[in-house]
Amino acid sequence: MFPNNYSENTGTAAASVWKYSSLNSGSLTQPDVKDGKIYVSNGFWDTFRGPWPAYALLTPSKDAELLNGILEHYKNTRWIGRWINPGASDRAIGSHAEVIFGDAAQKGIPFDMETAFAAVTRSASAVP
């Protein structure tokens, strides 16, 4: 059930063009529409031990898509929230996104590791 795709295919079934309304810019009447997929509704504290390692083992290509979709939050805000719902909130203990990125990298999942490194570095160096 989680995470959820917050994106929309604006193309066709044969030629997908994925876009999403930015959660952090624009307005309700004038949304800032971005290219790509973004995933929401995930609390890493609840999922970093079970579902995320399972995605890497059982559905590696989908795992790469999910990880890149989570990284869209960092691209938009320079932060990955502790809980993405669909915006970011500070409602959990630690983000644990670092764990899912590290685990996926160690397992050879092809995702945007450069952006993931920037995200975890930002998180690790933030003053609480």
Side-chain angles (χ1 to χ4, degrees), residues 78-112:
R78 297 295 176 234
W79 194 261
I80 294 179
R82 294 175 180 182
W83 182 276
I84 48 175
N85 59 336
S89 67
D90 208 14
R91 295 185 180 156
I93 301 167
S95 78
H96 295 88
E98 299 82 359
V99 177
I100 65 166
F101 294 139
D103 181 62
Q106 187 272 331
K107 290 176 178 159
I109 302 299
F111 69 103
D112 186 354

Side-chain angles (χ1 to χ4, degrees), residues 9 21 80 92:
N9 181 4
S21 179
I80 294 179

Side-chain angles (χ1 to χ4, degrees), residues 113-124:
M113 288 186 214
E114 188 173 315
T115 300
F117 182 77
V120 301
T121 302
R122 165 74 168 95
S123 180

Side-chain angles (χ1 to χ4, degrees), residues 16-96:
S16 298
V17 178
W18 289 95
K19 296 186 180 283
Y20 65 92
S21 179
S22 176
L23 305 164
N24 306 99
S25 60
S27 68
L28 209 52
T29 56
Q30 291 292 324
D32 186 7
V33 177
K34 304 213 177 219
D35 293 330
K37 284 187 177 180
I38 192 167
Y39 282 87
V40 300
S41 300
N42 193 86
F44 303 114
W45 172 257
D46 300 323
T47 59
F48 81 97
R49 290 184 196 103
W52 283 102
Y55 300 150
L57 291 172
L58 303 173
T59 57
S61 62
K62 186 65 174 183
D63 189 36
E65 179 184 314
L66 293 170
L67 292 166
N68 287 324
I70 298 293
L71 287 168
E72 286 296 317
H73 292 274
Y74 177 77
K75 291 176 183 176
N76 286 324
T77 65
R78 297 295 176 234
W79 194 261
I80 294 179
R82 294 175 180 182
W83 182 276
I84 48 175
N85 59 336
S89 67
D90 208 14
R91 295 185 180 156
I93 301 167
S95 78
H96 295 88

